[in-house]
Amino acid sequence: MTDKDTGEETPADDRVGARNQSAADPDRNSTDRRTDPDESGESDPSDSPPDRDSNDSTRSQDDRNRPDEQTSLDGTDTSANLNTDSDSITADMSTQSVDIPDETKGSQTGVEETDEGTDPESSDGSGPLAGEIETAGGADGFSGDIDLDDLDLDTDAGDDSEADGASRGLFDDLLEGEPIFESKEVLRPSYTPHELPHREEQINKMATILVTALRGDTPSNILIYGKTGTGKTASAKFVSEELETTSQKYEVPCEVEYINCEVTDTQYRVLAQLANKFIDKNETYIEERTEELGSLRDRATDAADALEESEFDDVEAIETRIDELEDDLEAFDPVPMTGWPTDRVYSTFFDAVDYHERVVVIMLDEIDKLVEKSGDDTLYNLSRMNSELENSRVSIMGISNDLKFTDFLDPRVKSSLGEEEIVFPPYDATQLRDILQHRAETAFKPEILSEDVIPLCAAFAAQEHGDARRALDLLRTAGELAERDRTETVEEKHVRKAQEKIELDRVVEVVRTLPTQSKLVLYATILLEKNGVHNINTGEVFNIYKRLCQEIDADVLTQRRVTDLISELDMLGIVNAIVVSKGRYGRTKEINLSVPQEETEAVLLSDSRIGEVEDAQPFVQSRFDN
């Protein structure tokens, strides 16, 4: 700000001091407010500088026109709005300079720059400076010569809005492109299609076995064999859904219950899960039956002939039956997932199944996992319970990847369980191409796939024993990679990238599920390769393995057992172990990694025990130094 008398710029501290002096002298302020420029013509120069009188008079006139922005005698702002603006200006001005508009600069040099014939201090507040000259000595601590309306008060708010816009735009940008998929779920293994190409023979065979359930008879037990991705589970679920749909059509009580034995892998859990499922269905049955009997009772109360075609003789019999159903409903006790004796769990399951007339098909997927974990007691009980049931009938459908798992079954269980066997052969490349083409028509938008995508996916999957699940995963992953690249079509390069990604995911899963001792052997091999050792022999791995076991306080196996673990890793494809002859020094195994080193090491270190090894580098280095 420039002093009018001297033409020199007034320091900010002096201006603040002048405002404080004005605020501290209320008499002077009141005198200034009583001064009317229209009556006196001009202010007394001895009282205050000319520009200050002008500002004070303008301020008093402006205060009368704007009662919401009144300034008290001590110089503090009584308006909440002005306080808010002042705080914002203070925070803003403390970090950045303010460019004063040209018209504001003009107001600082006096009224000479105003239009001729215009009173800058018009009593009605309509003068050109009325909206520009702001309160001096306010709580904001700034000169009254700066117009608050001319300042950029939204700078910080604009920055915040830009930051919010950036966070909001994270997914907006990703959603801008056209989606490639129409329904991605069609390409997942859990999806059951309405049509299964190249599995008509197996589906028809299952249907001919289970059709007896629709006649009220007990179907034969079925064992389904086949390698991973040959359509076993999808075909069984497809037939089961058709069976339940047809049973509702003909009003035949027939139910199918699915259990994944890889997850539910003990006798207790299998029986408990089945018992709770049938208890839930029994509760629904009782509620529906109670509602029907209540309606029949109401009709019988109004008309006696309403009971002619029913099983009840009078209303009292209906009420008795309703009371029995309500008692049964209260008596149902769900099985906890642990804590009960196994015989009590089986008894509860037996009573729940036999509560009313129906045919039940129990589908046990990955049945070999149940046998490996819990033996064949569960299968023995399930296969023999029909001789004790009075109202219902039970049939078992087992699905397995292991063609020889029945060799470990009790002969009695094997004879009753394997009444019918169905084998699912692997798909060839042509069949996989048909399956992918059928799914792709629903999964992708039109004209998204290039011509060589489906044949390439089928060829990759056919190389690995005709796994349709692998082919579907490959096609889905290729589509996801193309979508991330924001390309309009899925091309061959996306399939090849997907093949590499899936292969890495497979390695990660295999390494993650290894036993701790196998992980230590693999980690020792990785540490040796990281230090530049190639064609590692078994003795070198064993030495580092012993040091790692000491570090995490694990049992040290013999070198012969470590050699067996190396052979297992070789079988899994994680390492490549070749037996070489050293002449008179005997034979040994030369070991090299067959998987990506960094990714495999990261998976190993995610194990809580392997992660306890702090800086294993000195152990390896000391091995070479010695």
Side-chain angles (χ1 to χ4, degrees), residues 195-197 199-209 231 234-236 238-239 422 424:
E195 181 182 353
L196 289 166
R199 285 294 177 255
E200 293 83 1
E201 179 183 350
Q202 289 78 14
I203 290 175
N204 290 334
K205 189 173 182 179
M206 278 190 283
T208 55
I209 297 172
S235 299
F238 175 80
V239 174
I422 302 176
F424 280 67

Side-chain angles (χ1 to χ4, degrees), residues 36-38 55-66 121-126 130:
D36 188 350
D38 291 337
N55 288 339
D56 289 342
S57 60
T58 304
R59 180 189 62 198
S60 63
Q61 185 67 34
D62 192 52
D63 290 343
R64 287 193 298 271
N65 292 329
R66 293 185 294 176
E121 299 176 6
S122 175
S123 60
D124 60 358
S126 60

Side-chain angles (χ1 to χ4, degrees), residues 112-186:
E112 291 82 6
E113 298 182 11
T114 60
D115 294 339
E116 184 177 357
T118 303
D119 186 0
E121 299 176 6
S122 175
S123 60
D124 60 358
S126 60
L129 296 181
E132 300 180 18
I133 302 177
E134 187 51 52
T135 305
D140 57 357
F142 288 96
S143 170
D145 297 317
I146 300 177
D147 183 9
L148 296 181
D149 294 335
D150 291 331
L151 299 179
D152 184 8
L153 304 180
D154 295 331
T155 302
D156 292 340
D159 295 341
D160 294 340
S161 63
E162 290 179 2
D164 294 341
S167 62
R168 288 194 301 270
L170 175 61
F171 291 101
D172 294 336
D173 293 341
L174 297 176
L175 290 173
E176 285 181 356
E178 282 294 325
I180 289 178
F181 292 99
E182 189 75 38
S183 177
K184 189 187 296 185
E185 297 302 316
V186 175

Side-chain angles (χ1 to χ4, degrees), residues 141-273:
F142 288 96
S143 170
D145 297 317
I146 300 177
D147 183 9
L148 296 181
D149 294 335
D150 291 331
L151 299 179
D152 184 8
L153 304 180
D154 295 331
T155 302
D156 292 340
D159 295 341
D160 294 340
S161 63
E162 290 179 2
D164 294 341
S167 62
R168 288 194 301 270
L170 175 61
F171 291 101
D172 294 336
D173 293 341
L174 297 176
L175 290 173
E176 285 181 356
E178 282 294 325
I180 289 178
F181 292 99
E182 189 75 38
S183 177
K184 189 187 296 185
E185 297 302 316
V186 175
L187 300 177
R188 296 194 181 277
S190 58
Y191 175 77
T192 302
H194 300 292
E195 181 182 353
L196 289 166
H198 306 291
R199 285 294 177 255
E200 293 83 1
E201 179 183 350
Q202 289 78 14
I203 290 175
N204 290 334
K205 189 173 182 179
M206 278 190 283
T208 55
I209 297 172
L210 296 176
V211 70
T212 56
L214 299 175
R215 302 189 181 104
D217 299 328
T218 306
S220 299
N221 296 326
I222 306 174
L223 280 182
I224 300 174
Y225 301 101
K227 293 184 178 181
T228 302
T230 54
K232 303 182 304 298
T233 303
S235 299
K237 286 185 175 181
F238 175 80
V239 174
S240 300
E241 291 176 0
E242 289 291 323
L243 180 64
E244 289 186 323
T245 302
T246 307
S247 67
Q248 295 174 1
K249 177 181 178 181
Y250 292 101
E251 297 182 353
V252 178
C254 184
E255 302 171 5
V256 180
E257 295 298 337
Y258 174 83
I259 300 290
N260 187 346
C261 296
E262 190 169 10
V263 179
T264 310
D265 57 355
T266 64
Q267 181 181 7
Y268 185 100
R269 292 179 181 177
V270 170
L271 295 177
Q273 188 170 339

Side-chain angles (χ1 to χ4, degrees), residues 295-505:
S295 177
L296 178 60
R297 178 188 58 189
D298 295 340
R299 293 196 307 271
T301 303
D302 298 336
D305 57 350
L307 299 178
E308 291 181 357
E309 298 181 357
S310 68
E311 58 183 297
F312 302 98
D313 297 331
D314 51 28
V315 176
E316 184 178 354
I318 298 177
E319 293 178 347
T320 302
R321 180 56 180 159
I322 292 176
D323 293 338
E324 292 176 352
L325 291 174
E326 292 176 349
D327 292 340
D328 292 342
L329 185 61
E330 295 178 358
F332 286 133
D333 190 7
V335 181
M337 293 312 294
T338 185
W340 282 13
T342 305
D343 58 346
R344 181 183 177 187
V345 178
Y346 177 79
S347 177
T348 303
F349 160 68
F350 184 92
D351 294 339
V353 171
D354 205 33
Y355 183 75
H356 66 88
E357 183 179 357
R358 58 187 160 191
V359 178
V360 176
V361 177
I362 299 176
M363 188 189 308
L364 299 176
D365 199 0
E366 307 290 350
I367 190 174
D368 53 301
K369 304 294 184 182
L370 176 63
V371 175
E372 291 176 7
K373 182 74 176 288
S374 305
D376 55 7
D377 292 343
T378 306
L379 301 181
Y380 179 82
N381 292 329
L382 294 177
S383 62
R384 296 300 177 114
M385 66 185 302
N386 280 327
S387 60
E388 303 174 5
L389 293 172
E390 297 180 359
N391 299 320
S392 61
R393 294 291 180 266
V394 173
S395 175
I396 300 175
M397 180 187 298
I399 304 173
S400 173
N401 299 327
D402 188 359
L403 301 177
K404 298 181 180 181
F405 94 96
T406 55
D407 296 344
F408 304 99
L409 296 178
D410 185 281
R412 296 169 297 175
V413 177
K414 184 176 180 180
S415 62
S416 60
L417 186 63
E419 296 174 342
E420 297 283 351
E421 295 184 352
I422 302 176
V423 178
F424 280 67
Y427 294 107
D428 57 31
T430 304
Q431 293 173 335
L432 289 174
R433 184 183 303 181
D434 294 340
I435 294 171
L436 294 179
Q437 188 66 45
H438 182 263
R439 298 283 188 101
E441 292 175 356
T442 308
F444 291 96
K445 292 182 176 295
E447 300 180 357
I448 290 294
L449 301 179
S450 60
E451 295 181 357
D452 51 355
V453 167
I454 290 180
L456 187 58
C457 290
F460 278 139
Q463 292 175 359
E464 300 184 15
H465 58 261
D467 190 345
R469 188 176 303 170
R470 176 64 177 270
L472 292 171
D473 288 343
L474 194 59
L475 183 59
R476 189 192 73 251
T477 306
E480 291 174 348
L481 293 176
E483 200 169 47
R484 293 169 193 171
D485 292 343
R486 300 188 182 183
T487 59
E488 297 181 355
T489 58
V490 183
E491 300 174 356
E492 177 185 347
K493 63 179 181 180
H494 298 120
V495 178
R496 297 192 180 277
K497 288 182 180 179
Q499 170 75 355
E500 297 175 359
K501 183 177 184 298
I502 292 177
E503 183 68 21
L504 180 60
D505 292 343

